[in-house]
Amino acid sequence: MGSGIAHVVALGGHDVVINDLAKERFDTAIQNIDKNLTRQVASGKITDEDREKALARITFGETYESLADADLVVEAATEDEAVKRKIFVAICPFLKPDAIVATNTSSISITRLAATTDRPERFIGMHFMNPVPVMELVEMIRGIATDDVTFTRAKDFVESLGKTTAVSEDFPAFMVNRILLPMINEAVYTLYEGVGSVDAIDTAMRLGAHHPMGPLQLADFIGLDTCLSIMQVLYEGLADSKYRPCPLLVKYVEAGWLGRKSKRGFYDYRGESPMPTR
């Protein structure tokens, strides 16, 4: 997600500093960004000059001091509240007073994350969809303390990137994932209960509901650990049994079968083409 956000922001004409745990991760991110920009050049969406300028705007920030001049800092770490809170505590002392801090969380309370910082009024949820260069939407979520100036500046920035915004209240999983993830979880229950196989479930939803991707294939693309985290946020935050994560989803995550990123989930990606695991 971080590399995708850097891609669209740099292509939008802004300088970008990527701060990560290791230089190797930055190098991988740049390779992915270059590959995706090259794909956009080939499809005629941008020029090769656009690609070169975008890449030149992206630099690696080895320390938090590299964020000192930033007007906007977007956190895009894993969907784990403890990890995110630790990041905010670490970076805030290095930011200028009027810098806006945004989180790309797809489910966690903006108000609660904002309270970790020294600037809850300049904190906002900015949920980009994956893959960022392709998906048109960004969910905007205000915390209880987010002021009007921050919201307006953040919304204008997102729309300057050519994205469409949808404003959500600060409820667990917001709008997109509150609707999408229970559907995926129900697909996993359908598999768990033996109603259909992986292939049958995905085929049914692709051809019967005209979904571009089956729900189990989509879960693998998102990451089964992320899916589980979002369902846990919904289950705990809304206290409703209908959001209980499917035991099979829990089992896959415990096994380390996280989807595409681990080469195995509801499909096995280690061969020439993905093969259903059930």
Side-chain angles (χ1 to χ4, degrees):
M1 291 298 294
S3 62
I5 294 168
H7 173 142
V8 299
V9 173
L11 197 57
H14 305 278
D15 291 332
V16 179
V17 174
I18 296 180
N19 177 271
D20 212 325
L21 295 173
K23 178 65 160 56
E24 292 75 18
R25 294 193 182 193
F26 171 78
D27 293 338
T28 299
I30 285 293
Q31 290 172 9
N32 290 334
I33 292 169
D34 190 14
K35 180 175 67 177
N36 291 330
L37 286 168
T38 300
R39 186 178 294 121
Q40 288 180 303
V41 172
S43 66
K45 294 179 179 177
I46 64 172
T47 66
D48 197 54
E49 183 181 4
D50 293 330
R51 181 189 68 84
E52 292 177 0
K53 287 182 177 179
L55 289 171
R57 295 186 186 109
I58 304 172
T59 57
F60 176 61
E62 188 171 0
T63 64
Y64 291 139
E65 284 90 340
S66 64
L67 307 176
D69 294 328
D71 296 313
L72 169 68
V73 176
V74 182
E75 168 273 317
T78 186
E79 193 68 358
D80 182 314
E81 184 168 347
V83 171
K84 293 179 183 294
R85 291 167 70 94
K86 184 178 179 180
I87 290 171
F88 296 134
V89 169
I91 67 172
C92 281
F94 298 97
L95 306 182
K96 58 187 182 182
D98 62 342
I100 293 173
V101 176
T103 174
N104 186 54
T105 180
S106 56
S107 64
I108 302 169
S109 166
I110 304 305
T111 296
R112 203 162 59 237
L113 291 176
T116 309
T117 75
D118 61 357
R119 61 195 72 211
E121 70 284 355
R122 290 188 296 283
F123 190 96
I124 194 165
M126 193 180 285
H127 177 210
F128 288 82
M129 304 294 129
N130 190 29
V132 182
V134 176
M135 302 298 280
E136 302 91 344
L137 184 73
V138 178
E139 276 185 312
M140 304 291 297
I141 312 99
R142 297 175 72 148
I144 194 171
T146 307
D147 64 28
D148 291 341
V149 172
T150 296
F151 176 76
T152 300
R153 286 177 62 193
K155 187 172 184 289
D156 289 347
F157 172 77
V158 169
E159 291 177 348
S160 77
L161 305 177
K163 301 296 186 184
T164 298
T165 59
V167 180
S168 171
E169 293 297 321
D170 190 15
F171 279 79
F174 318 128
M175 293 184 298
V176 172
N177 282 332
R178 179 160 177 179
I179 297 167
L180 177 64
L181 264 297
M183 183 200 73
I184 289 175
N185 193 54
E186 193 62 30
V188 182
Y189 266 116
T190 305
L191 178 66
Y192 177 62
E193 294 168 2
V195 179
S197 66
V198 169
D199 183 63
I201 292 165
D202 277 354
T203 299
M205 293 306 292
R206 282 199 310 271
L207 303 184
H210 263 209
H211 288 198
M213 186 183 294
L216 300 176
Q217 182 186 5
L218 179 57
D220 276 358
F221 178 77
I222 294 170
L224 303 192
D225 52 341
T226 300
C227 292
L228 178 58
S229 293
I230 295 170
M231 288 308 303
Q232 288 170 330
V233 167
L234 281 167
Y235 186 45
E236 294 165 9
L238 298 174
D240 192 323
S241 61
K242 72 180 182 180
Y243 298 115
R244 183 172 71 96
C246 179
L248 184 61
L249 177 60
V250 176
K251 183 179 291 186
Y252 271 49
V253 172
E254 289 176 344
W257 292 20
L258 307 181
R260 284 184 174 273
K261 60 188 172 185
S262 66
K263 304 297 184 184
R264 192 184 299 186
F266 293 113
Y267 292 85
D268 190 327
Y269 300 91
R270 294 173 297 174
E272 292 185 5
S273 59
M275 296 294 294
T277 52
R278 281 180 176 246

